């Protein structure tokens, strides 16, 4: 099978009849392992690591170059933010690999929502759209309304900074995404990926996202502010150059927004987008794959309602 000719089935190198040894394929019964020219480091998370589960500090590096970004504080006693993820095998049935230390096998990343706004927080609150650290990951309004705002989403996911070759004029980015039939997105929740190119004076954002079939909302495009697609920096520029700092998009242009419907993603399928880069040298950009949770779902009455989930495999950034 080729990755281009099997868009709506599990994109495997081999057949389902391949033998298994110690729970892993002995043949090639895995998702496609690599994409030529991919500038992301460790796109299949094939590094031994002890990643975060539940919460983490923004910008701390795992799997050598990846870092988690979140917006929901989990405590009044520190600034850790909510982490909703699991790491899964990259072959059927995509088994959850569990918590703690993970080995160096290739992994799918599953992202899901919180379903609660941690209402016991009194200092590091999650119920104020005017707080200094943005609670809004994206919105279809220029400025979010009073929390909880059904036109605004919080975001959490995995991010990496990438160097842009001086000769590059375009970039193609994306990932292979699956939304299981037994864990469909809640009505207003989304999953997707985006890139942010910071020129020093402004940020340029391009986005792809998957939503429930029939949902008509589209996120804000054009001139933006910190309430739209703020995230992590594109360089290890914090804590003695070992972590990513927070990036606030106080000045930005949201150039493009590509929606998809989740019914097309029952099995792994590629989303990708090619955009023109801003000119210059010594350029960098940020790639992030994310889960977006509508603010109306973060109130305590929503606790226990499944958020839905998205599986990501082999995210990519390719320059030309």
């Amino acid at each position: 099978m080729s990755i281009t000719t099997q868009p709506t089935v599990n994109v495997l190198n081999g057949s389902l009849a391949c033998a298994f040894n110690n729970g892993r394929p002995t043949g090639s019964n895995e998702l496609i392992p690599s994409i030529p020219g991919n500038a992301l480091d460790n796109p299949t998370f094939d590094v031994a690591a002890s990643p975060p589960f539940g919460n983490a500090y923004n910008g701390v590096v795992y799997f050598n170059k990846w870092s988690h970004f979140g917006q929901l504080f989990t405590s009044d006693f520190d600034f850790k933010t909510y982490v909703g993820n699991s790491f899964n095998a990259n072959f059927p049935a995509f088994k959850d690999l569990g918590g703690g230390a993970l080995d160096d096998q290739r992994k799918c990343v599953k992202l899901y929502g919180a379903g609660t706004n941690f209402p016991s927080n009194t200092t590091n609150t999650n119920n104020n759209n005017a707080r200094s650290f943005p609670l809004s990951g994206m919105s279809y309004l220029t400025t979010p309304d009073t929390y909880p705002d059904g036109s605004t989403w919080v975001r959490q996911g995995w991010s990496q900074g990438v160097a842009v070759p001086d000769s590059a004029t375009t970039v193609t980015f994306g990932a292979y995404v699956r939304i299981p039939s037994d864990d469909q997105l809640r009505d207003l929740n989304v999953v997707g990926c985006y890139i942010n190119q910071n020129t020093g004076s402004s940020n340029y954002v391009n986005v792809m996202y998957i939503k429930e079939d029939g949902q008509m909302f589209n996120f804000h495009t054009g001139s933006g502010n910190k309430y739209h697609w703020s995230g992590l920096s594109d360089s290890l520029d914090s804590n003695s150059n070992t972590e990513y700092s927070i990036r606030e998009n106080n000045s930005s242009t949201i150039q493009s927004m590509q929606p998809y419907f989740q019914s097309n993603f029952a099995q792994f399928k590629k989303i990708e987008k090619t955009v023109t880069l801003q000119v210059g040298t010594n350029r960098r950009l940020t790639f992030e794959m994310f889960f977006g949770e509508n603010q109306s779902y973060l109130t305590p009455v929503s606790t226990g309602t499944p958020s839905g989930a998205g599986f990501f495999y082999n995210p990519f950034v390719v320059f030309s």
Side-chain angles (χ1 to χ4, degrees):
M1 298 182 183
S2 77
I3 204 159
T4 56
T5 59
Q6 297 292 333
T8 58
V9 300
N10 288 324
V11 187
L12 303 172
N13 275 326
S15 71
L16 292 176
C18 290
F20 282 73
N21 180 30
N22 195 27
R24 298 190 189 185
T26 57
S28 56
N29 187 29
E30 297 183 272
L31 295 169
I32 296 295
S34 63
I35 292 175
N38 193 353
L40 291 174
D41 285 334
N42 306 317
T44 58
F45 291 77
D46 54 342
V47 178
S50 296
F53 297 92
N55 62 13
Y57 288 110
N58 283 330
V60 175
V61 172
Y62 303 89
F63 303 103
N64 289 351
K65 280 294 184 70
W66 289 95
S67 189
H68 186 270
F69 173 77
Q71 295 180 295
L72 293 172
F73 294 124
T74 55
S75 170
D76 278 329
F77 306 107
D78 58 40
F79 292 103
K80 290 181 179 180
T81 60
Y82 170 73
V83 176
N85 63 208
S86 65
F87 295 88
N88 298 61
N90 75 325
F91 51 86
F94 309 110
K95 179 182 177 181
D96 188 336
L97 300 174
L102 302 179
D103 67 16
D104 60 355
Q105 73 183 93
R106 298 183 184 110
K107 307 168 185 70
C108 303
V109 180
K110 179 182 179 182
L111 295 177
Y112 49 86
T116 173
N117 70 338
F118 311 102
S120 61
N121 287 12
T122 58
T123 302
N124 299 335
T125 58
N126 298 303
N127 58 5
N128 181 6
N129 278 332
R131 75 181 193 186
S132 58
F133 173 56
L135 183 60
S136 168
M138 59 276 204
S139 178
Y140 56 73
L141 301 178
T142 302
T143 302
D145 284 336
T146 302
Y147 176 92
D149 178 17
S151 65
T152 298
W153 284 251
V154 299
R155 208 179 69 243
Q156 65 100 14
W158 285 91
S159 176
Q160 184 176 142
V162 184
V164 179
D166 286 348
S167 61
T169 58
T170 64
V171 59
T172 300
F173 71 98
Y176 291 88
V177 186
R178 176 178 179 247
I179 301 177
S181 59
D182 60 354
D183 205 1
Q184 296 277 282
L185 295 171
R186 194 173 178 187
D187 293 0
L188 297 175
N189 289 344
V190 298
V191 296
C193 54
Y194 81 97
I195 56 170
N196 185 95
Q197 188 180 354
N198 184 346
T199 63
S201 59
S202 190
N203 294 275
Y204 295 85
V205 182
N206 292 274
V207 185
M208 295 180 287
Y209 66 97
I210 302 169
K211 59 185 177 180
E212 184 189 57
D213 291 36
Q215 293 293 336
M216 301 303 293
F217 66 83
N218 288 297
F219 297 120
H220 175 74
T221 56
S223 179
N225 51 42
K226 73 176 186 177
Y227 302 110
H228 303 274
W229 310 104
S230 292
L232 296 180
S233 67
D234 54 28
S235 300
L236 296 173
D237 54 2
S238 181
N239 194 16
S240 301
N241 298 328
T242 62
E243 300 176 4
Y244 295 98
S245 63
I246 298 295
R247 164 183 45 81
E248 291 191 2
N249 284 9
N250 294 307
S251 174
S252 69
T253 299
I254 305 161
Q255 295 180 295
S256 65
M257 196 71 57
Q258 176 63 57
Y260 297 87
F261 289 129
Q262 70 174 350
S263 61
N264 295 316
F265 294 88
Q267 306 296 344
F268 277 98
K269 184 177 180 180
K270 182 169 63 173
I271 60 174
E272 68 176 341
K273 188 174 186 63
T274 299
V275 298
T276 300
L277 291 160
Q278 300 301 303
V279 298
T281 58
N282 300 315
R283 298 168 293 174
R284 297 187 65 85
L285 60 76
T286 300
F287 171 91
E288 183 189 294
M289 50 189 181
F290 64 85
F291 188 97
E293 189 162 20
N294 190 268
Q295 282 191 355
S296 66
Y297 297 158
L298 298 178
T299 56
V301 295
S302 295
T303 302
T305 304
S307 67
F311 283 78
F312 293 81
Y313 186 70
N314 215 354
F316 55 90
V317 171
V318 178
F319 296 107
S320 58

